[in-house]
């Protein structure tokens, strides 16, 4: 109710919601905002005056689903991509991080082994095995004549250490050193960013980094980076029609169900040779 009161005090003419929550739909209606546009999945958008109906079982990219709302408002959304350019301050921090490891003038392959943990959901099965990720990182770095650099958040030190243990050559690691935006800036300066299906990989792609996302129990048709310079690696496999809303996949086996490192590498090298 406090949120509703805050909305009322701001006197909005238009509210746009991209979430499927019926509570958001209700809040915007109770706030008395004249024009309310949002997604309507299975009737959850009952409080919107402009509704973008969606089928939760249809396999569509999440970004394209969000764009249904401006479409419902009559806006032209053709040719739009995810875009989050790094700020000058974030770029300075990224350059400083490279310089601190003697990589100011060296091409870098930036690797993030983390992912699968978000507020309200844990899906560790998204993570490509450390040995497989290390194989991709080293072989790709050889192709690009670059240095592997590992990056991870403050709670992902163990994952970074696992990846480093599988590398034949020691690689510098930035664990909990940079903010998310600064990591994205660092990715934009790199020859390649390699990561799992996680928010940071999407942010790196939106920052302009050539991005490779390794996907397993999530479909690229729904969750691949929504940018023109990215590659989603995936072995087609049957998944829940509702996407990550189905929760964790405890029976997922990367050796059985996921893309093999050799096939993933072949796709990366072909993509780099475009």
């Amino acid at each position: 109710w406090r949120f509703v009161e805050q909305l009322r005090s701001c006197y909005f003419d238009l509210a746009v919601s991209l979430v499927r929550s019926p509570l958001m739909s209700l809040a915007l209606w109770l706030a008395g905002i004249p024009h309310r546009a949002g997604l309507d999945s299975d009737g959850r958008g009952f409080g919107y005056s402009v509704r973008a109906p969606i089928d939760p079982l249809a396999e569509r990219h999440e970004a394209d689903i969000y764009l249904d709302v401006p479409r419902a408002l009559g806006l032209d959304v053709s040719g739009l991509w995810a875009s989050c350019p790094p700020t000058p301050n974030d770029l300075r921090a990224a350059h400083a991080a490279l310089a601190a490891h003697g990589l100011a003038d060296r091409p870098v392959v930036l690797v993030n082994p983390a992912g699968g943990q978000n507020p309200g959901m844990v899906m560790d099965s998204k993570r490509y095995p450390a040995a497989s990720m290390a194989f991709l990182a080293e072989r790709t770095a050889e192709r690009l004549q670059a240095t592997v650099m590992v990056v991870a958040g403050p709670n992902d030190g163990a994952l970074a250490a696992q990846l480093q243990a599988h590398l034949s050559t020691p690689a510098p690691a930035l664990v909990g050193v940079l903010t998310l935006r600064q990591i994205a800036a660092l990715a934009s300066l790199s020859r390649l960013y390699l990561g799992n299906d996680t928010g940071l990989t999407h942010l790196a792609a939106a920052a302009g980094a050539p991005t490779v996302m390794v996907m397993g129990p999530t479909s690229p048709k729904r969750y691949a980076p929504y940018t023109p310079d990215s590659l989603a690696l995936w072995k087609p496999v049957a998944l829940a029609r509702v996407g990550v809303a189905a929760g964790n996949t405890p029976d997922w086996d990367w050796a059985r169900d996921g893309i093999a490192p050799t096939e993933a590498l072949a796709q990366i090298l072909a993509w780099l040779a475009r």
Side-chain angles (χ1 to χ4, degrees):
W1 185 252
R2 183 179 301 174
F3 176 61
V4 172
E5 290 297 326
Q6 289 175 339
L7 290 175
R8 283 179 172 174
S9 67
C10 295
Y11 304 105
F12 291 106
D13 293 316
L14 169 67
V16 176
S17 171
L18 302 181
V19 300
R20 297 164 174 83
S21 170
L23 295 178
M24 179 61 74
S25 172
L26 176 63
L28 297 183
W29 176 66
L30 290 175
I33 299 172
H35 305 288
R36 307 170 305 279
L39 297 173
D40 186 17
S41 175
D42 282 344
R44 296 186 183 95
F46 60 88
Y48 301 132
S49 59
V50 178
R51 301 173 189 172
I54 62 171
D55 179 359
L57 297 181
E59 193 174 40
R60 296 175 57 204
H61 199 286
E62 288 293 301
D64 192 55
I65 290 174
Y66 299 150
L67 289 174
D68 279 351
V69 179
R71 288 188 186 105
L73 290 168
L75 301 177
D76 181 10
V77 298
S78 57
L80 295 185
W81 300 101
S83 179
C84 188
T87 67
N89 285 341
D90 291 333
L91 285 170
R92 278 192 287 271
H95 279 293
L98 290 173
H101 289 86
L103 298 173
D105 300 314
R106 286 279 299 164
V108 167
V109 170
L110 193 64
V111 188
N112 174 23
Q117 293 190 357
N118 302 302
M121 177 178 290
V122 176
M123 200 172 179
D124 294 346
S125 53
K126 283 185 176 183
R127 299 175 189 153
Y128 205 39
S132 300
M133 187 69 86
F135 171 82
L136 292 185
E138 289 198 312
R139 300 290 86 76
T140 304
E142 289 176 2
R143 169 65 176 78
L144 296 173
Q145 298 183 323
T147 298
V148 174
M149 174 175 271
V150 181
V151 66
N155 299 320
D156 298 320
L159 296 174
Q162 289 174 16
L163 176 63
Q164 288 178 294
H166 287 283
L167 295 170
S168 59
T169 302
L174 299 172
V175 179
V177 176
L178 302 177
T179 67
L180 293 178
R181 291 291 298 265
Q182 289 169 348
I183 293 174
L186 180 61
S188 74
L189 300 175
S190 303
R191 288 286 283 111
L192 187 76
Y193 173 98
L194 175 63
N196 298 305
D197 177 8
T198 181
L200 185 53
T201 304
H202 287 282
L203 184 58
T211 299
V212 172
M213 176 186 283
V214 185
M215 308 189 74
T218 53
S219 170
K221 292 181 180 179
R222 286 183 181 271
Y223 305 114
Y226 202 69
T227 63
D229 195 17
S230 56
L231 171 68
L233 301 171
W234 190 60
K235 174 185 174 181
V237 64
L239 299 172
R241 293 185 66 188
V242 295
V244 296
N248 204 1
T249 51
D251 61 340
W252 177 265
D253 185 298
W254 275 101
R256 180 193 66 210
D257 306 318
I259 187 168
T262 50
E263 172 59 26
L265 178 62
Q267 291 191 30
I268 293 174
L269 297 181
W271 181 67
L272 291 173
R274 298 165 299 161

